[in-house]
Amino acid sequence: MAGRAGAAGGLVHDTPVLHRARRRARADRGHAAGQPAAGPPRREPGARAELGWWTDKHNRHHANPNHQDKDPDVSPGVLVWSTDQAAGRRGAFTRWFTRNQGRLFVPLLLLEGINLKVSSVRYIVGRCRRGDRRGQAWAEALLLCAHFGGYLGLLFTVLSPGAAIAFVLAHQALLGLHLGCAFAPNHKGMPMPGPGERWDHLRKQVLTSRNVRGGAVTDWFLGGLNYQIEHHLFPSMPRPHLRRAQPLVREHCRLVGLPYTEEGPIESYVTALRHLHAVGGGAKAA
């Protein structure tokens, strides 16, 4: 079940890309007809309810990967991603936690499935409170309620209350672990552009990304996102085709003298965890 949910998460991951492609196509049609470009695309009624939150977050990440001021994926939160962020930690427990975040990272992933649900609810509630003239936020809220109602209703119908609760906890924990393991190697431990640095598109996407070597099992487990460099350069390319673009991208990087980072699965996780441990050390002891 967790693996199936992780695969569904991969489809949600691609949805902002599909929206951008639809927006570009709609704009091109409008310009060809002499009409102004259309506005933001309408969300499909059957899409996942947390689409609005994910679209905003993920598109900002793709625009400026690993940028401390612009990429929400490296904003300080439970974890920090740079020594500057670690140095700003306050409180004895918070500093202790930060210094040990490399050791605590994998256990924290067990909570990521629930964290995604909470973040989605908070985002949609905020949009509904701010007002939404087109009703998109309320539609997403209804879809989210339907999702939770169907999921919990089915479990508590076919299982005893204790077994249903145990299933939810195990399912969400394994889902978070799967998703975290799929995303963790992509950028962690790679260069992070500073506020005053301006990189062109190629360097911005290649230098901050890491590919994970492996065969069919790695491709399945990581959902094709192990070709992270190609994914960032061609975000609208279907994930099954990224491996076909890899030789071309690798050769182009060689020709222009651009580092092309590729590591094995274990090496990539070790690098990411070492980075977390290293930057966490910037939090001074009380």
Side-chain angles (χ1 to χ4, degrees):
M1 283 291 292
R4 295 287 186 179
L11 297 177
V12 177
H13 167 271
D14 288 347
T15 304
V17 171
L18 298 178
H19 279 332
R20 284 200 298 272
R22 289 174 58 203
R23 185 184 298 116
R24 285 195 298 269
R26 188 181 301 177
D28 291 342
R29 289 196 300 269
H31 287 308
Q35 299 173 353
R42 178 179 60 85
R43 290 184 178 85
E44 299 300 331
R48 281 187 62 127
E50 57 265 44
L51 178 60
W53 167 76
W54 176 255
T55 301
D56 174 72
K57 176 179 180 291
H58 196 62
N59 284 353
R60 286 190 287 141
H61 160 70
H62 265 266
N64 294 281
N66 259 19
H67 194 291
Q68 294 188 54
D69 296 335
K70 300 177 180 179
D71 183 358
D73 285 357
V74 293
S75 297
V78 174
L79 303 174
V80 298
W81 312 102
S82 71
T83 52
D84 291 340
Q85 293 174 352
R89 290 303 216 190
R90 297 292 180 267
F93 175 77
T94 302
R95 290 195 293 266
W96 174 87
F97 188 95
T98 298
R99 290 195 303 274
N100 292 276
Q101 65 177 10
R103 301 184 183 93
L104 297 171
F105 179 70
V106 173
L108 283 173
L109 291 182
L110 299 175
L111 301 175
E112 182 60 18
I114 295 176
N115 177 57
L116 290 173
K117 306 295 187 300
V118 173
S119 298
S120 300
V121 171
R122 292 178 61 186
Y123 177 85
I124 292 176
V125 169
R127 287 188 59 199
C128 291
R129 287 179 175 176
R130 290 192 299 270
D132 184 359
R133 288 178 296 179
R134 291 183 295 179
Q136 292 179 347
W138 288 103
E140 290 191 8
L142 289 175
L143 286 171
L144 193 59
C145 290
H147 165 73
F148 287 145
Y151 176 70
L152 296 175
L154 177 62
L155 290 178
F156 280 91
T157 298
V158 301
L159 298 174
S160 66
I165 293 173
F167 181 91
V168 170
L169 294 177
H171 180 207
Q172 296 305 313
L174 292 175
L175 170 62
L177 184 63
H178 184 191
L179 292 178
C181 288
F183 285 94
N186 298 341
H187 302 282
K188 306 304 178 273
M190 299 302 292
M192 299 180 68
E197 296 184 70
R198 297 180 63 86
W199 296 359
D200 60 49
H201 179 73
L202 179 64
R203 284 165 174 76
K204 182 188 299 184
Q205 304 299 339
V206 173
L207 294 180
T208 62
S209 303
R210 174 193 296 110
N211 279 12
V212 180
R213 289 190 298 267
V217 174
T218 302
D219 289 356
W220 171 82
F221 183 74
L222 299 182
L225 294 179
N226 45 313
Y227 304 100
Q228 189 68 194
I229 295 174
E230 289 72 26
H231 170 62
H232 266 259
L233 288 173
F234 309 107
S236 60
M237 180 179 291
R239 283 176 293 138
H241 298 316
L242 293 174
R243 62 182 179 85
R244 300 180 181 178
Q246 184 186 35
L248 300 175
V249 173
R250 185 195 289 121
E251 177 63 14
H252 180 75
C253 290
R254 186 188 67 81
L255 291 175
V256 300
L258 199 62
Y260 182 95
T261 303
E262 189 176 20
E263 298 176 350
I266 296 178
E267 183 184 5
S268 66
Y269 290 122
V270 169
T271 301
L273 292 175
R274 283 178 175 171
H275 170 74
L276 285 171
H277 183 71
V279 300
K284 298 180 180 179

